[in-house]
Amino acid sequence: MEVLLTHTTALEVLRRPDLQRRVMTAPRDAAAVPDRAPTRAEMEAMLARSPLLAGLGQPLELLVSSASARIGNDLVHTHVMSAPLPAGSTIEIAPGIRVVSPELLPVLMASRLTELELIFLLSELLGTYAIDLARQKGMWQRREPLTTPAESGASRRARSRARGGPGAACAAEGVRGARRPRARPSSRCALGLPAALGGWLASGSSR
């Protein structure tokens, strides 16, 4: 069966240096959102045969089309997207494994993030620095951004009715016209992001 990676799992994929070429060059389409998530047995089988999936943090966050298909366990956590996806919303990174596009990701995550967190996320997707806490500097530099303000803006307009669309549009105002991020601003972004997004401090913690 096919899975569609979303939220922090999708962000993890978009940050991986070894997947950048695939993310940037693979054809994008509007594949249908899966109507269900894998069962535990199916997910265990997929993890066993896919080093890519096995190398991602668990639970894997997957997009499904129906609330009745929600699953939440140690392997899978689902999010619901019942509306049809516009063109270019998914990227196939391996057979049977798709990830939401960098344009769709902020829209899907907007309702779960503060405006500041969303600005940080957009800054990373529109910039050339990706967070990677395994590296000494806590980041690495892409050759080019994952998306552009024009592409991101067009995507938000196409998804304006989706939950989170207005929030993503408001946050985009905070990064509009910004130049390519330098190392220091990216470090500040990492400090402000919650641990789930790759930040160094959990959102809302007192210390």
Side-chain angles (χ1 to χ4, degrees):
M1 67 178 301
E2 188 169 274
V3 294
L4 179 55
L5 307 178
T6 186
H7 288 64
T8 56
T9 302
L11 183 57
E12 185 178 354
V13 168
L14 296 178
R15 285 173 169 167
R16 292 242 318 237
D18 58 319
L19 295 176
Q20 290 304 288
R21 182 177 178 82
R22 183 63 180 170
V23 167
M24 297 299 293
T25 62
R28 299 187 181 191
D29 57 28
V33 178
D35 58 5
R36 70 176 182 89
T39 63
R40 174 173 286 275
E42 290 172 332
M43 193 72 254
E44 289 176 342
M46 294 182 73
L47 290 170
R49 64 174 181 264
S50 172
L52 190 160
L53 286 181
L56 298 173
Q58 295 175 8
L60 299 177
E61 297 195 77
L62 307 179
L63 206 59
V64 294
S65 62
S66 172
S68 63
R70 287 186 184 275
I71 291 180
N73 56 44
D74 58 319
L75 295 181
V76 173
H77 180 81
T78 58
H79 301 271
V80 178
M81 178 66 174
S82 57
L85 297 180
S89 295
T90 70
I91 306 168
E92 186 177 48
I93 54 174
I97 304 173
R98 293 182 177 275
V99 62
V100 298
S101 70
E103 294 82 24
L104 177 60
L105 182 60
V107 176
L108 295 175
M109 296 187 71
S111 63
R112 296 173 179 267
L113 302 178
T114 66
E115 185 175 341
L116 183 59
E117 290 168 350
L118 190 53
I119 289 173
F120 288 160
L121 174 60
L122 285 166
S123 295
E124 181 178 344
L125 297 176
L126 293 169
T128 56
Y129 285 94
I131 294 175
D132 183 353
L133 300 186
R135 296 177 180 240
Q136 184 176 3
K137 293 184 178 180
M139 67 191 75
W140 64 278
Q141 187 173 9
R142 301 184 178 98
R143 291 186 176 181
E144 58 183 306
L146 292 173
T147 186
T148 66
E151 291 170 341
S152 182
S155 177
R156 287 193 306 275
R157 288 190 293 273
R159 300 169 178 84
S160 59
R161 295 182 181 178
R163 182 181 180 184
C170 290
E173 296 296 328
V175 294
R176 180 171 295 174
R179 295 180 177 179
R180 180 174 297 181
R182 300 178 185 271
R184 187 171 297 172
S186 292
S187 297
R188 288 202 299 269
C189 285
L191 284 170
L193 283 172
L197 295 181
W200 295 322
L201 296 176
S203 178
S205 62
S206 58
R207 295 288 181 183

